[in-house]
Amino acid sequence: MTPENLNEEHELKRAVRRAYDVPMPAKAQVKLEEAYASLRSVPQERAETAVPGPASTGDRSGAASTAERSSAGREPVRPTVRRRPTRAAQGEAAQVGKRVVKRSAVVAIAAALVVLLGGTAFAASSLLQMKAGDVPFFQSGSNLPIYNSLQAGVASLNTEVGQSAVVDDMTVTLDTVSTDRNIINLFFTIEKEGGFDLAAESIYEGSNENEWTRLQQIMPLFSQAQITSAGELLCKSDVNKLDAYREGDKVKCLMRIVPGVVLPDEVGVLLTDMVKPQVEGGELTERTLFEVGLDLSTVAQPDELGAQDIVFQTSEGEKTLGIKRFTRSELGTVFIVRNDEVETIEEGGRPVYHPSDTSMLPQLLKMTDDQGSALNFVNAGDGMGYSPAADYVMELSGMSKDAQSVTFTPMALTQSAREAGEPDAIDKRKALNEANPAQEVDVSQIGAQLPTTEYGGYEITSWKVSDNTVSIGLKPYGWAPEAFRSAFELHSVDTPTALKDEYTDPETGETYGGYHTAVQYHKYDYLTGEQIQMTSYYAAGDNELQNLHLYSYRTSFGHYLEESAAAQTLPFVART
């Protein structure tokens, strides 16, 4: 898929999710599926030169996607349509609505809040400090194992909060915040009078996806986090969903924020959601659900490379990378790059973004530290999309604790890949694709390597079938950039049993339908970069799935050329 079509899909996802906070009508669902399929099946589209080939399965931030089949044949994967409005695009203006926050006696700090310059300033006595201590979320062992590596960092930096808010018919309690100056982790408990009916949270009527998938529908959908200090807004950041599990009648969940700035000594975190208008034709309004003031004066500053422009002398000419932030801390490594994509306006007034000829795209960089570790992208894998006009906000895995510098090496497109990218180069695109036929692997063979380019790939670390779900562990090696706003994907060669879904229009009598196979999520270990691909099937059961060992994947050999002579090394410096 080209960057242009990726932008179309993300705009469509955001628009649909903002418009619906109830189950989507089946007819609309079918039409949406057709729209997604058309976005990914435009004939003779440009070769995917901006995003490395293995990521070309679609840009969903490693996202939840639904593997589908229709009466016309097999459709590509597409994102699951949520039942509540999604976050607004980063930086999008919204009106602030009425608060519905309930505060417990544990944190009766609301009385100390004052409004200043349109933001929130917290009295010094009300600020919460980070301290060491176990976080209950990890104590039961019910969380996804891929997130166990977060436990040590979280245990050294956290604070109890205890604020509660009513969201729809649920009570959501922010139990704990764990943050350094680089990353914010949020831990919630969700309760509902009478408990949760998980059968009602199925993606399709009669579908049998696993419990973890259904809990994703229950997790609150924050529009954004507002990061403030001294009453001034510092940035607005996405609130990403990571994990959820049931504990009795309650649901425990974990979310993560990558702030757009390094956090100062005193900081406020405001979590908001979007409220549908009370009258037809009205606008969505934004309301504040949680407000937390934090004192980070005792938290160490992150190491950083420093904000700067790096100019690479590549075979395609000078390419500039605008680093706005590269910071390493106990809770993660953050890489923020200025977005230099060029905006053009189509006839209908819709903006479209194209990579600039002189900009260095972050997904076309091989990054290594001075200890020899490869740095690879990781993401939340929650399918929320991104704003194509915003800065590139990324997290990296693999950073050595003792690393003193990072080397950036451009990965140029080969001449064949550049030629195949021309609009009318149909034969050259076909030849490049034929040189990369679908590869197959037996996923039960733990340790098998799956090279995706001449410079890296993945190793299978685990394979498990349980609760109608296939989980495959994948460890990156070398240059493996697929997690940049996407994911490396494996697909079963054999087609499992699909769920048939039909809808009859009561006015016209027309019947619409399709076959739905599975919903797929990709989650990452933020320290090692290891990935777990979870594919939960709507109709296929464990006995059937146990016998499906053969999976296919795509490669991009002949697409890229490492330009070592153009590499540049930047040292870490202590932030003051």
Side-chain angles (χ1 to χ4, degrees):
M1 177 179 284
T2 64
E4 292 85 350
N5 281 348
L6 291 177
N7 291 342
E8 288 184 11
E9 179 179 329
H10 281 280
E11 289 183 8
L12 180 58
K13 285 174 16 180
R14 286 194 295 271
V16 169
R17 288 171 177 159
R18 281 197 296 266
Y20 287 92
D21 65 350
V22 296
M24 178 174 286
K27 184 175 181 179
Q29 176 80 25
V30 171
K31 295 298 183 183
L32 182 63
E33 291 171 7
E34 293 172 353
Y36 277 125
S38 67
L39 285 176
R40 285 203 171 100
S41 58
V42 179
Q44 301 178 12
E45 68 176 352
R46 292 174 60 89
E48 296 167 6
T49 57
V51 180
S56 64
T57 49
D59 189 332
R60 296 173 302 282
S61 298
S65 60
T66 311
E68 304 290 349
R69 295 178 67 246
S70 69
S71 56
R74 190 168 190 165
E75 296 179 5
V77 293
R78 67 161 179 81
T80 301
V81 176
R82 306 286 179 175
R83 290 188 173 131
R84 301 182 181 92
T86 188
R87 66 170 72 100
Q90 187 171 358
E92 184 176 338
Q95 298 178 354
V96 178
K98 182 179 179 181
R99 294 179 184 170
V100 295
V101 179
K102 295 180 178 179
R103 293 171 176 77
S104 68
V106 177
V107 284
I109 64 173
L113 304 182
V114 293
V115 177
L116 177 64
L117 299 177
T120 302
F122 295 83
S125 60
S126 71
L127 299 177
L128 304 176
Q129 285 192 328
M130 295 298 112
K131 60 184 182 299
D134 292 335
V135 173
F137 180 85
F138 293 107
Q139 299 309 300
S140 69
S142 300
N143 59 280
L144 288 178
I146 200 78
Y147 293 126
N148 284 341
S149 63
L150 296 178
Q151 189 170 354
V154 165
S156 67
L157 291 165
N158 68 82
T159 185
E160 295 181 2
V161 180
Q163 291 185 20
S164 295
V166 174
V167 180
D168 297 333
D169 55 353
M170 306 179 299
T171 298
V172 181
T173 300
L174 176 56
D175 301 314
T176 307
V177 172
S178 171
T179 182
D180 52 17
R181 297 176 185 267
N182 213 23
I183 296 290
I184 302 172
N185 293 305
L186 307 169
F187 299 88
F188 295 89
T189 296
I190 310 172
E191 300 174 83
K192 180 179 180 180
E193 186 175 354
F196 292 98
D197 178 10
L198 292 186
E201 300 299 334
S202 62
I203 295 176
Y204 295 100
E205 184 177 355
S207 60
N208 295 319
E209 65 275 7
N210 67 357
E211 178 176 289
W212 187 92
T213 298
R214 297 179 187 223
L215 293 177
Q216 307 312 297
Q217 310 288 346
I218 293 173
M219 293 174 73
L221 199 58
F222 297 110
S223 56
Q224 58 188 199
Q226 298 180 26
I227 310 300
T228 67
S229 184
E232 296 186 359
L233 179 65
L234 300 180
C235 65
K236 296 181 180 181
S237 302
D238 294 337
V239 184
N240 294 114
K241 301 178 179 182
L242 297 191
D243 193 11
Y245 63 84
R246 272 207 301 178
E247 187 175 84
D249 291 334
K250 302 177 182 179
V251 174
K252 299 285 188 177
C253 61
L254 165 61
M255 299 190 183
R256 189 172 176 97
I257 300 170
V258 182
V261 299
V262 174
L263 299 180
D265 285 351
E266 296 185 2
V267 65
V269 180
L270 283 70
L271 303 180
T272 63
D273 72 349
M274 304 303 292
V275 182
K276 290 192 69 175
Q278 299 297 315
V279 296
E280 186 176 353
E283 295 183 353
L284 292 171
T285 57
E286 190 172 26
R287 65 180 177 184
T288 299
L289 294 176
F290 298 96
E291 296 176 316
V292 181
L294 302 172
D295 176 2
L296 304 183
S297 60
T298 60
V299 177
Q301 293 283 352
D303 296 325
E304 65 176 355
L305 299 184
Q308 57 191 291
D309 280 7
I310 309 177
V311 179
F312 298 91
Q313 303 296 332
T314 76
S315 60
E316 299 177 57
E318 287 191 351
K319 301 273 188 180
T320 301
L321 179 74
I323 298 180
K324 301 186 75 171
R325 175 178 155 206
F326 193 116
T327 46
R328 173 188 62 184
S329 67
E330 186 170 5
L331 296 184
T333 300
V334 175
F335 186 30
I336 300 181
V337 172
R338 183 180 65 241
N339 188 340
D340 289 333
E341 294 189 33
V342 178
E343 179 186 271
T344 58
I345 306 298
E346 293 188 338
E347 287 187 10
R350 185 178 66 85
V352 177
Y353 299 88
H354 309 269
S356 165
D357 291 337
T358 59
S359 63
M360 187 73 242
L361 297 174
Q363 66 268 39
L364 292 179
L365 282 172
K366 177 182 176 182
M367 293 173 280
T368 55
D369 65 28
D370 59 340
Q371 304 299 305
S373 296
L375 311 184
N376 286 307
F377 300 107
V378 288
N379 60 66
D382 61 357
M384 297 307 297
Y386 67 97
S387 170
D391 291 333
Y392 302 106
V393 179
M394 301 156 285
E395 288 195 68
L396 299 175
S397 65
M399 180 70 71
S400 303
K401 290 184 178 179
D402 299 327
Q404 300 299 310
S405 64
V406 175
T407 297
F408 299 86
T409 303
M411 303 296 289
L413 296 174
T414 62
Q415 182 176 349
S416 296
R418 290 198 300 268
E419 290 175 349
E422 296 300 321
D424 297 325
I426 299 173
D427 291 339
K428 291 182 178 180
R429 281 199 295 278
K430 181 179 179 180
L432 195 60
N433 289 335
E434 288 177 347
N436 284 276
Q439 301 295 305
E440 296 183 353
V441 62
D442 183 343
V443 295
S444 68
Q445 300 303 305
I446 307 304
Q449 289 199 331
L450 289 62
T452 56
T453 69
E454 295 87 343
Y455 306 100
Y458 295 83
E459 177 185 326
I460 296 178
T461 59
S462 63
W463 171 65
K464 179 183 178 182
V465 177
S466 177
D467 196 13
N468 308 324
T469 301
V470 178
S471 299
I472 302 172
L474 297 161
K475 183 179 180 179
Y477 65 87
W479 183 58
E482 288 79 13
F484 176 82
R485 293 180 168 177
S486 187
F488 173 74
E489 294 183 357
L490 290 167
H491 298 281
S492 175
V493 171
D494 298 309
T495 302
T497 301
L499 176 72
K500 186 176 182 180
D501 182 42
E502 290 187 345
Y503 167 78
T504 301
D505 189 320
E507 296 181 2
T508 65
E510 293 181 275
T511 298
Y512 304 87
Y515 291 86
H516 314 295
T517 307
V519 60
Q520 189 174 91
Y521 286 85
H522 299 263
K523 295 293 182 176
Y524 296 85
D525 184 318
Y526 281 92
L527 295 186
T528 68
E530 185 169 344
Q531 168 187 341
I532 188 76
Q533 173 181 298
M534 300 182 294
T535 309
S536 194
Y537 288 84
Y538 300 132
D542 289 356
N543 290 337
E544 177 182 354
L545 298 172
Q546 285 278 4
N547 293 315
L548 303 181
H549 295 179
L550 202 59
Y551 281 68
S552 67
Y553 64 97
R554 305 298 304 185
T555 63
S556 291
F557 288 94
H559 280 245
Y560 306 102
L561 182 65
E562 181 176 354
E563 297 202 322
S564 301
Q568 299 211 33
T569 299
L570 299 180
F572 278 111
V573 296
R575 182 180 175 87
T576 58

